[in-house]
């Protein structure tokens, strides 16, 4: 829509405690992004577009880790195929290849296109999941599959892991370009992927009898999973071709161009409430505001959507001038928080790593606990009560526990906006407390403790704390970093996350060997 506003100038004075400058400060040009209150129709349109963007990122989160869920939810099929528990082998293979692939991508291909990496990752995952059902054709009649088929399955798992690593290296950085609500939607999608994988497996298994329909139900499960990945890929292509995404890219290109030219730059985007200008209370610099209409209306739409606010927005652009007497810059509207600057040289990667390093270790420990127990160790815990013991033979009890984990994980991700007093400083307390689940669940798997209620409660705690703490700490780390640091910090988060997954799979593999629960 066309915008026509009159030119006006507003003066913001420094606090009385600061000495006034004798030199008239340079005006600060303020670009009006959305100067008029939105009408009811505009509000509805704004809300619809924002909800659509959230839905897109939920679906992207679903596709991100869905193949891992689909692979391990077929626990009963792998048990039928090899007549032994190979979950620990698959888990270790998947995350070992993943961390090696992610390291290679970060070291040698970090400057490659984020969108291309995501697209290649989705397509590769689709191909691998589509090939998994053909393993049933290679099983000898009346005999368990041999080492050759196991090697083929592990190879296919490695390729699937590599494709997931491509997504790991890019999808968090892609989400970090958007607002906190969009990042939360991405994390919800990751949790929902586990739940959807569990539901797919439960429904397809229930549609066929145990003896005659196990292979048919598994083929149907993988077929539905392939269709899901195809849908995620199509949605991602539609998203990067959409007007909203291109508006966001245009806005980023403008910032980079301004920074490279060293001229006017956007210092901040802040809401205007009524007729007053809200700025950082610690700022003490004299500056003047030149209110001008925006030359391009789409900037207002993208800024408003990406920041998820119902307030009109101004974008502050600094017009710097140098004093002829001292050569010092005057009249600049600086933010008091120097870590949230959008211009100037990019911060060194080493400094970013040092800044977020301790918090990334906490993130890694979350996954060491979670994936040392899920999914492999959970599938070794049998039902003990008379009512549930018949479910052991058909592996229904273990599948239901995996589904219960996915439900609790998803609930935790949906509730990550409730922080329960957790901060980056207090998060390690919760993470260390989760290590108590190791001896408890090992005792349940070995029979030293025989309680279905305790099993269900332990899986619920493991799932909820995994979903909630993972989503929350990723958001907290993003908030802790400045806009220029977030893309590299997101890459470090992916590396730390996968290091934790690998660490958990190694711990689970060792524990299974020492306790004999894998047999």
């Amino acid at each position: 829509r066309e915008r026509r506003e009159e030119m006006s100038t507003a003066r913001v004075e420094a606090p009385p405690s600061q000495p006034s400058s004798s030199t008239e400060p340079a005006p600060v040009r303020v670009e009006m992004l959305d100067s008029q209150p939105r009408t009811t129709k505009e509000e509805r349109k704004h809300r619809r577009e924002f909800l659509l963007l959230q839905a897109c990122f939920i679906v992207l989160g679903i596709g991100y880790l869905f193949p891992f869920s689909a692979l391990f939810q077929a626990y009963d099929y792998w048990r039928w195929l090899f007549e032994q528990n190979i979950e620990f082998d698959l888990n270790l293979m998947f995350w070992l290849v993943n961390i090696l692939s992610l390291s290679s991508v970060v070291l040698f291909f970090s400057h490659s296109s984020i969108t291309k990496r995501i697209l290649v990752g989705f397509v590769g995952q689709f191909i691998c999941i589509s090939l998994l059902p053909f393993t049933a054709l290679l099983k000898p009649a009346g005999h368990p599959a041999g080492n050759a088929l196991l090697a083929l399955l592990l190879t296919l798992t490695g390729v699937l892991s590599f494709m997931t690593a491509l997504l790991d290296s890019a999808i968090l950085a892609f989400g970090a370009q958007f607002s906190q609500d969009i990042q939360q939607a991405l994390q919800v999608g990751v949790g929902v992927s586990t739940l959807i994988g569990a539901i797919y497996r439960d429904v397809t298994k229930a549609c066929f009898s145990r003896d005659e329909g196990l292979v048919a139900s598994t083929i149907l499960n993988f077929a539905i999973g392939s269709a899901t990945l195809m849908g995620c890929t199509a949605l991602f292509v539609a998203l990067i071709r959409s007007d909203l995404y291109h508006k966001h890219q245009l806005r980023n290109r403008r910032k980079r161009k301004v920074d490279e030219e060293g001229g006017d730059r956007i210092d901040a985007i802040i809401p205007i409430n009524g007729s007053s200008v809200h700025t950082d209370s610690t700022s003490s610099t004299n500056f003047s505001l030149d209110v001008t209409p925006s030359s391009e209306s789409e900037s207002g739409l993208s800024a408003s959507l990406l920041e998820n606010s119902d307030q009109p927005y101004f974008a502050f652009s600094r017009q710097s001038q140098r004093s002829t007497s001292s050569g010092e810059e005057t009249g600049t509207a600086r933010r008091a928080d120097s870590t949230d600057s959008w211009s100037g040289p990019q911060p060194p990667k080493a400094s970013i790593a040092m800044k977020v390093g301790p918090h990334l270790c906490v993130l890694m420990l979350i996954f060491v606990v979670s994936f040392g127990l899920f999914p492999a160790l959970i599938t070794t815990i049998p039902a003990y009560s008379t009512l549930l013991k018949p479910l052991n033979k058909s592996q229904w009890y273990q599948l239901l526990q995996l589904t219960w984990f996915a439900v609790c994980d998803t609930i935790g991700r949906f509730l990550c906006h409730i922080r329960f007093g957790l901060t980056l400083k207090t998060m390690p307390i919760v993470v260390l407390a989760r290590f108590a689940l190791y001896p408890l669940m090992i005792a349940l798997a070995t029979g030293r403790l025989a309680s279905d209620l305790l099993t269900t409660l332990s899986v619920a705690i493991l799932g909820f704390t995994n979903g909630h703490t993972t989503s929350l700490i990723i958001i907290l780390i993003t908030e802790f970093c400045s806009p220029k640091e977030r893309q590299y910090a997101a890459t470090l988060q992916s590396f730390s996350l996968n290091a934790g997954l690998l660490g958990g799979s190694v711990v689970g593999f060792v524990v299974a060997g020492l306790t004999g629960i894998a047999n």
Side-chain angles (χ1 to χ4, degrees), residues 190-201:
V190 173
V192 171
S193 68
T194 306
L195 179 59
I196 289 178
I199 292 174
Y200 283 176
R201 186 58 191 145

Side-chain angles (χ1 to χ4, degrees), residues 238-435:
L239 175 63
I240 61 178
R241 290 182 177 181
S242 66
D243 291 339
L244 178 60
Y245 179 74
H246 285 294
K247 290 168 186 174
H248 174 66
Q249 292 297 94
L250 177 63
R251 183 177 175 223
N252 284 342
R253 283 196 295 270
R254 286 172 178 168
K255 292 177 190 176
R256 289 194 295 268
K257 183 178 179 181
V258 167
D259 290 343
E260 291 170 359
E261 292 177 352
D264 296 351
R265 68 177 177 87
I266 293 179
D267 275 339
I269 296 178
I270 61 176
I272 303 301
N273 190 4
S275 59
S276 62
V277 179
H278 296 282
T279 58
D280 194 327
S281 60
T282 60
S283 177
S284 60
T285 308
N286 288 334
F287 62 93
S288 61
L289 304 179
D290 183 20
V291 183
T292 63
S294 173
S295 59
E296 298 193 35
S297 60
E298 69 269 17
S299 299
L301 175 62
S302 61
S304 174
L305 281 173
L306 295 172
E307 297 297 331
N308 186 25
S309 174
D310 295 331
Q311 303 269 356
Y313 275 80
F314 286 105
F316 281 66
S317 298
R318 183 175 67 184
Q319 294 179 337
S320 61
Q321 67 178 23
R322 298 193 176 273
S323 172
T324 55
S325 59
S326 63
E328 294 182 354
E329 193 174 329
T330 62
T332 60
R334 295 186 181 91
R335 290 178 57 91
D337 184 5
S338 61
T339 64
D340 198 14
S341 175
W342 295 351
S343 66
Q346 293 295 318
K349 293 182 178 180
S351 66
I352 300 175
M354 291 291 292
K355 179 178 180 179
V356 301
H359 311 304
L360 295 179
C361 291
V362 175
L363 176 62
M364 182 180 65
L365 290 178
I366 293 174
F367 285 95
V368 168
V369 176
S370 297
F371 285 83
L373 301 172
F374 172 87
L377 195 140
I378 291 178
T379 60
T380 65
I381 301 177
Y384 292 104
S385 65
T386 305
L387 179 63
L388 298 177
K389 270 187 178 180
L391 299 178
N392 288 333
K393 187 176 181 181
S394 60
Q395 283 87 47
W396 261 112
Y397 181 77
Q398 289 76 17
L399 287 178
L400 291 176
Q401 289 296 344
L402 294 178
T403 305
W404 177 234
F405 173 91
V407 169
C408 296
D409 179 87
T410 303
I411 293 174
R413 293 178 190 273
F414 270 107
L415 296 180
C416 70
H417 63 281
I418 304 175
R419 303 194 175 185
F420 301 108
L422 293 175
T423 63
L424 288 176
K425 293 183 178 179
T426 59
M427 188 70 74
I429 299 174
V430 177
V431 173
L432 293 176
R434 297 178 78 236
F435 274 92

Side-chain angles (χ1 to χ4, degrees), residues 33-145:
L33 296 182
D34 194 359
S35 61
Q36 300 298 331
R38 296 190 183 95
T39 64
T40 304
K41 183 177 180 181
E42 291 170 336
E43 289 284 356
R44 288 197 298 267
K45 180 181 178 182
H46 167 76
R47 185 62 181 168
R48 284 195 304 269
E49 290 174 325
F50 182 75
L51 290 176
L52 178 62
L53 190 61
Q54 279 188 313
C56 288
F57 272 83
I58 289 176
V59 174
L60 291 181
I62 291 173
Y64 166 38
L65 279 183
F66 176 80
F68 172 79
S69 177
L71 180 68
F72 287 93
Q73 290 294 341
Y75 152 78
D76 52 342
Y77 172 71
W78 305 128
R79 176 65 67 94
W80 167 83
L81 192 63
F82 296 98
E83 296 186 5
Q84 59 177 324
N85 191 331
I86 64 166
E87 296 284 296
F88 292 96
D89 303 85
L90 292 178
N91 199 26
L92 181 60
M93 181 66 177
F94 188 94
W95 295 117
L96 178 61
V97 174
N98 186 274
I99 194 67
L100 294 176
S101 302
L102 181 62
S103 301
S104 301
V105 171
V106 171
L107 290 175
F108 303 109
F109 302 101
S110 60
H111 298 293
S112 61
S113 170
I114 289 178
T115 55
K116 288 182 180 179
R117 274 183 275 165
I118 294 176
L119 187 59
V120 171
F122 275 139
V123 172
Q125 286 182 335
F126 166 76
I127 295 174
C128 291
I129 292 295
S130 300
L131 293 176
L132 285 176
F134 293 98
T135 54
L137 302 177
L138 303 178
K139 182 181 184 298
H143 300 283

Side-chain angles (χ1 to χ4, degrees), residues 496-507:
S496 177
L497 185 151
N498 286 275
L501 293 169
L502 175 60
S505 63
V506 170
V507 171

Side-chain angles (χ1 to χ4, degrees), residues 473-491:
I473 196 171
I474 288 176
I475 292 174
L476 289 174
I477 292 175
T478 302
E479 293 175 349
F480 183 60
C481 297
S482 68
K484 291 189 297 185
E485 297 170 333
R486 286 174 184 170
Q487 181 168 338
Y488 185 66
T491 301

